[in-house]
Amino acid sequence: MKTTNEMNNLDEKLRQIQKVEPSPFLFTRIQAKLEGKLSLRVSRKMALASVIGLFALIAINSWILNKAQNKQSDNLLQQMNLIESQQIYR
């Protein structure tokens, strides 16, 4: 625990602190840095084009994989001499 004498010394030191005035160009420098960071944003058109392209790529990929999987299952049925139709009698 701090004693009262230490607390009084601390209060006195805190009262002696003087307010510092900021540089008049501080706000303009901060604003310039913020604008520089904002220019790195991607435009909405570019983002939309990227999303559409990614969606098309995924759709084409799934279509190709589905087509290849269907071919493999047909080949497997033929290799095992299984009846492909739903007829009971030939």
Side-chain angles (χ1 to χ4, degrees):
M1 282 278 198
K2 293 186 177 186
T3 63
T4 10
N5 191 21
E6 290 174 339
M7 293 296 283
N8 288 337
N9 286 339
L10 182 62
D11 285 340
E12 185 62 32
K13 287 180 183 179
L14 288 174
R15 286 189 194 109
Q16 291 175 359
I17 295 175
Q18 295 177 358
K19 185 177 180 181
V20 178
E21 292 297 322
S23 168
F25 301 107
L26 179 66
F27 178 71
T28 55
R29 285 186 283 181
I30 293 172
Q31 190 175 20
K33 285 184 180 182
L34 287 175
E35 287 175 0
K37 289 183 179 180
L38 292 178
S39 67
L40 297 176
R41 286 189 172 175
V42 178
S43 69
R44 289 185 182 194
K45 288 181 182 180
M46 185 60 94
L48 182 62
S50 299
V51 168
I52 291 172
L54 184 62
F55 179 73
L57 184 65
I58 290 171
I60 291 170
N61 191 20
S62 63
W63 178 72
I64 290 172
L65 288 175
N66 190 20
K67 189 175 180 181
Q69 187 178 12
N70 286 342
K71 239 182 197 182
Q72 285 178 353
S73 65
D74 289 344
N75 288 339
L76 181 63
L77 289 174
Q78 289 172 356
Q79 288 173 359
M80 296 179 70
N81 293 326
L82 295 175
I83 300 173
E84 296 177 9
S85 68
Q86 298 296 325
Q87 271 186 325
I88 298 176
Y89 304 106
R90 287 188 186 190

